[in-house]
Amino acid sequence: MSPPALDTRKVDLAALAQFWRAALLAVIGSVLGIAVPLVLSNTGYFTFDIPTAGSAFHVDQTSLAVVLGVASVGLVISMVSFWMYREGFLAVRSVDAKFSSSPTWALLVLVGLVLFIVGLVTLLEAVLQLLSCTGGSTTSIPTSCLDLGPLLGAAGLLLVAAIVLLIGYIGTLVAIWRLGDRYDDPLYKVGAVLLIIPYISFVGQVLILVATSRAKTKVERHPPFAVAPSYPGWPPPPR
């Protein structure tokens, strides 16, 4: 007697709920990343002063605060989004071996984002300290102000973060592509491809959101998409 088929409906719905939230957050993050700087720029609130030759470098604190604020919100949204992708992959992995490594790729993205934040903060501190030491001058930098240790350390950390992010992001895109096979929806595959292209990645996020909504409807109305693997200790069928 063969082992009974397990209804994976609950697992799929739990995973799809996480994927839907992750895609929705990604869409919201993209809208904020595009709309906020555009609105502030058109209102004249978001400005930068480019120094001329021989002049001191001036940083508008309001503009800098806006940039850092938008970037911080974007990073938080990205981290929460990839964490939800990881949770979804963890759920679907229990019923589909093709997703065995998928949670690891999403986790790598999170690690890369943390390293990127640490490296960026270190770099900003080093640059601000340099500007403070030189009095804002961009033409003459005394050797006593040059401390290459923090700068090189920040650059190395950012390089490691970029590599980890790239590996994790590509792996996550492959996992999203495989969702198209599991739930029989090519929108996942199109969305995964579009996420590679910076200027139209927003469209890919929307397609993934739509595909996830359609997949939830399919799972609720149709039989399970897959059967869990057979139990290792199950007795062989009689001959």
Side-chain angles (χ1 to χ4, degrees):
M1 184 179 188
S2 60
L6 298 181
D7 189 345
T8 64
R9 215 178 261 104
K10 290 183 178 180
V11 175
D12 278 308
L13 288 176
L16 287 168
Q18 295 288 355
F19 296 144
W20 190 86
R21 297 188 192 104
L24 179 63
L25 273 178
V27 170
I28 293 174
S30 294
V31 171
L32 290 177
I34 296 172
V36 173
L38 185 63
V39 170
L40 293 177
S41 177
N42 289 335
T43 57
Y45 182 77
F46 189 65
T47 59
F48 283 104
D49 294 329
I50 300 177
T52 58
S55 63
F57 183 80
H58 173 69
V59 179
D60 183 78
Q61 294 184 356
T62 302
S63 297
L64 182 61
V66 171
V67 171
L68 293 178
V70 172
S72 299
V73 172
L75 284 172
V76 170
I77 290 177
S78 296
M79 293 180 72
V80 175
S81 177
F82 277 99
W83 178 263
M84 290 179 174
Y85 269 120
R86 179 179 180 273
E87 292 296 304
F89 291 137
L90 282 173
V92 78
R93 180 177 69 176
S94 64
V95 294
D96 195 333
K98 289 188 298 184
F99 295 90
S100 59
S101 59
S102 299
T104 303
W105 303 127
L107 182 60
L108 277 180
V109 175
L110 292 172
V111 173
L113 287 174
V114 172
L115 292 176
F116 176 78
I117 292 172
V118 175
L120 187 60
V121 170
T122 304
L123 180 63
L124 286 175
E125 288 181 350
V127 171
L128 290 177
Q129 183 178 1
L130 178 63
L131 291 175
S132 176
C133 181
T134 60
S137 174
T138 57
T139 56
S140 59
I141 301 177
T143 55
S144 59
C145 293
L146 288 176
D147 187 3
L148 296 180
L151 289 173
L152 293 177
L157 195 55
L158 288 174
L159 178 61
V160 173
I163 295 173
V164 174
L165 275 171
L166 181 62
I167 295 173
Y169 191 67
I170 292 175
T172 302
L173 293 184
V174 172
I176 294 174
W177 174 281
R178 289 173 178 169
L179 290 176
D181 293 329
R182 177 165 180 80
Y183 300 112
D184 192 24
D185 194 331
L187 284 185
Y188 276 117
K189 296 184 177 182
V190 177
V193 172
L194 292 180
L195 288 181
I196 303 175
I197 308 172
Y199 295 106
I200 58 175
S201 59
F202 170 75
V203 179
Q205 294 161 354
V206 173
L207 292 181
I208 293 171
L209 184 63
V210 173
T212 304
S213 298
R214 300 200 313 189
K216 289 170 65 177
T217 302
K218 288 180 183 180
V219 172
E220 291 169 347
R221 296 181 180 178
H222 294 81
F225 284 89
V227 175
S230 59
Y231 304 104
W234 202 274
R239 298 181 178 177

Short mmCIF file of all heavy atoms in Angstrom, two decimals, residues 112-126 150-151 153-159 161:
data_model
loop_
_atom_site.label_atom_id
_atom_site.label_comp_id
_atom_site.label_asym_id
_atom_site.label_seq_id
_atom_site.Cartn_x
_atom_site.Cartn_y
_atom_site.Cartn_z
N GLY A 112 23.51 40.56 3.14
CA GLY A 112 24.15 41.56 2.30
C GLY A 112 23.66 42.97 2.60
O GLY A 112 24.45 43.91 2.60
N LEU A 113 22.37 43.10 2.87
CA LEU A 113 21.82 44.42 3.20
C LEU A 113 22.38 44.94 4.52
O LEU A 113 22.69 46.14 4.65
CB LEU A 113 20.29 44.35 3.26
CG LEU A 113 19.57 44.23 1.92
CD1 LEU A 113 18.07 44.02 2.13
CD2 LEU A 113 19.80 45.47 1.06
N VAL A 114 22.52 44.05 5.50
CA VAL A 114 23.10 44.46 6.78
C VAL A 114 24.54 44.91 6.59
O VAL A 114 24.96 45.96 7.11
CB VAL A 114 23.02 43.32 7.81
CG1 VAL A 114 23.79 43.67 9.07
CG2 VAL A 114 21.56 43.02 8.16
N LEU A 115 25.33 44.14 5.83
CA LEU A 115 26.72 44.52 5.56
C LEU A 115 26.78 45.84 4.80
O LEU A 115 27.66 46.68 5.06
CB LEU A 115 27.40 43.42 4.75
CG LEU A 115 27.64 42.09 5.47
CD1 LEU A 115 28.25 41.08 4.51
CD2 LEU A 115 28.54 42.28 6.68
N PHE A 116 25.85 46.04 3.88
CA PHE A 116 25.82 47.28 3.12
C PHE A 116 25.54 48.48 4.03
O PHE A 116 26.18 49.53 3.90
CB PHE A 116 24.74 47.20 2.03
CG PHE A 116 24.56 48.46 1.25
CD1 PHE A 116 25.45 48.81 0.24
CD2 PHE A 116 23.51 49.33 1.52
CE1 PHE A 116 25.28 49.99 -0.48
CE2 PHE A 116 23.34 50.50 0.82
CZ PHE A 116 24.23 50.83 -0.19
N ILE A 117 24.61 48.32 4.95
CA ILE A 117 24.28 49.42 5.88
C ILE A 117 25.49 49.76 6.74
O ILE A 117 25.85 50.94 6.91
CB ILE A 117 23.09 49.03 6.77
CG1 ILE A 117 21.82 48.92 5.92
CG2 ILE A 117 22.89 50.05 7.89
CD1 ILE A 117 20.63 48.37 6.67
N VAL A 118 26.16 48.73 7.27
CA VAL A 118 27.33 48.97 8.12
C VAL A 118 28.44 49.64 7.31
O VAL A 118 29.08 50.60 7.76
CB VAL A 118 27.84 47.65 8.73
CG1 VAL A 118 29.13 47.87 9.50
CG2 VAL A 118 26.78 47.04 9.64
N GLY A 119 28.68 49.15 6.09
CA GLY A 119 29.71 49.74 5.24
C GLY A 119 29.39 51.17 4.86
O GLY A 119 30.28 52.04 4.85
N LEU A 120 28.12 51.45 4.56
CA LEU A 120 27.73 52.80 4.17
C LEU A 120 27.86 53.78 5.33
O LEU A 120 28.34 54.91 5.17
CB LEU A 120 26.29 52.79 3.65
CG LEU A 120 25.77 54.09 3.04
CD1 LEU A 120 26.63 54.49 1.84
CD2 LEU A 120 24.31 53.95 2.63
N VAL A 121 27.44 53.35 6.52
CA VAL A 121 27.58 54.21 7.70
C VAL A 121 29.05 54.50 7.98
O VAL A 121 29.43 55.64 8.29
CB VAL A 121 26.90 53.55 8.92
CG1 VAL A 121 27.25 54.31 10.20
CG2 VAL A 121 25.39 53.51 8.74
N THR A 122 29.89 53.47 7.87
CA THR A 122 31.33 53.65 8.08
C THR A 122 31.92 54.63 7.07
O THR A 122 32.73 55.50 7.41
CB THR A 122 32.05 52.30 7.98
OG1 THR A 122 31.49 51.38 8.91
CG2 THR A 122 33.54 52.46 8.28
N LEU A 123 31.49 54.50 5.82
CA LEU A 123 31.99 55.40 4.77
C LEU A 123 31.54 56.84 5.01
O LEU A 123 32.34 57.78 4.88
CB LEU A 123 31.50 54.92 3.40
CG LEU A 123 31.93 55.76 2.20
CD1 LEU A 123 33.44 55.74 2.06
CD2 LEU A 123 31.27 55.25 0.92
N LEU A 124 30.28 57.03 5.39
CA LEU A 124 29.78 58.38 5.65
C LEU A 124 30.51 59.03 6.83
O LEU A 124 30.86 60.22 6.78
CB LEU A 124 28.28 58.33 5.93
CG LEU A 124 27.37 58.10 4.72
CD1 LEU A 124 25.92 57.94 5.16
CD2 LEU A 124 27.50 59.24 3.71
N GLU A 125 30.77 58.24 7.86
CA GLU A 125 31.50 58.78 9.01
C GLU A 125 32.91 59.21 8.61
O GLU A 125 33.40 60.27 9.04
CB GLU A 125 31.57 57.73 10.12
CG GLU A 125 30.24 57.50 10.84
CD GLU A 125 30.37 56.48 11.95
OE1 GLU A 125 31.43 55.83 12.03
OE2 GLU A 125 29.41 56.34 12.73
N ALA A 126 33.56 58.39 7.79
CA ALA A 126 34.92 58.71 7.35
C ALA A 126 34.94 59.97 6.49
O ALA A 126 35.82 60.83 6.63
CB ALA A 126 35.52 57.53 6.58
N PRO A 150 39.67 53.73 7.77
CA PRO A 150 38.21 53.65 7.70
C PRO A 150 37.67 53.64 6.27
O PRO A 150 36.71 52.92 5.97
CB PRO A 150 37.74 54.89 8.46
CG PRO A 150 38.88 55.23 9.35
CD PRO A 150 40.11 54.86 8.59
N LEU A 151 38.31 54.43 5.39
CA LEU A 151 37.85 54.47 4.00
C LEU A 151 38.03 53.13 3.30
O LEU A 151 37.12 52.63 2.62
CB LEU A 151 38.59 55.58 3.24
CG LEU A 151 38.23 57.02 3.61
CD1 LEU A 151 39.17 57.99 2.89
CD2 LEU A 151 36.79 57.32 3.27
N GLY A 153 38.44 50.22 4.80
CA GLY A 153 37.59 49.24 5.47
C GLY A 153 36.15 49.33 4.98
O GLY A 153 35.50 48.30 4.72
N ALA A 154 35.63 50.56 4.83
CA ALA A 154 34.27 50.74 4.34
C ALA A 154 34.14 50.26 2.90
O ALA A 154 33.15 49.60 2.55
CB ALA A 154 33.88 52.21 4.44
N ALA A 155 35.15 50.56 2.07
CA ALA A 155 35.11 50.12 0.68
C ALA A 155 35.13 48.60 0.58
O ALA A 155 34.40 48.00 -0.21
CB ALA A 155 36.29 50.72 -0.09
N GLY A 156 35.96 47.96 1.40
CA GLY A 156 36.01 46.49 1.40
C GLY A 156 34.71 45.88 1.86
O GLY A 156 34.23 44.89 1.29
N LEU A 157 34.10 46.48 2.89
CA LEU A 157 32.84 45.97 3.40
C LEU A 157 31.72 46.12 2.37
O LEU A 157 30.89 45.23 2.20
CB LEU A 157 32.47 46.70 4.69
CG LEU A 157 31.38 46.06 5.57
CD1 LEU A 157 31.74 44.63 5.93
CD2 LEU A 157 31.19 46.90 6.83
N LEU A 158 31.73 47.26 1.67
CA LEU A 158 30.73 47.47 0.63
C LEU A 158 30.92 46.50 -0.53
O LEU A 158 29.93 46.03 -1.14
CB LEU A 158 30.81 48.91 0.12
CG LEU A 158 30.29 49.99 1.08
CD1 LEU A 158 30.57 51.38 0.52
CD2 LEU A 158 28.80 49.82 1.34
N LEU A 159 32.17 46.16 -0.84
CA LEU A 159 32.44 45.19 -1.90
C LEU A 159 31.91 43.81 -1.51
O LEU A 159 31.25 43.13 -2.32
CB LEU A 159 33.94 45.13 -2.19
CG LEU A 159 34.37 44.12 -3.25
CD1 LEU A 159 33.73 44.43 -4.59
CD2 LEU A 159 35.89 44.09 -3.37
N ALA A 161 29.56 43.21 0.64
CA ALA A 161 28.10 43.31 0.66
C ALA A 161 27.52 43.18 -0.74
O ALA A 161 26.50 42.50 -0.94
CB ALA A 161 27.68 44.64 1.28
#
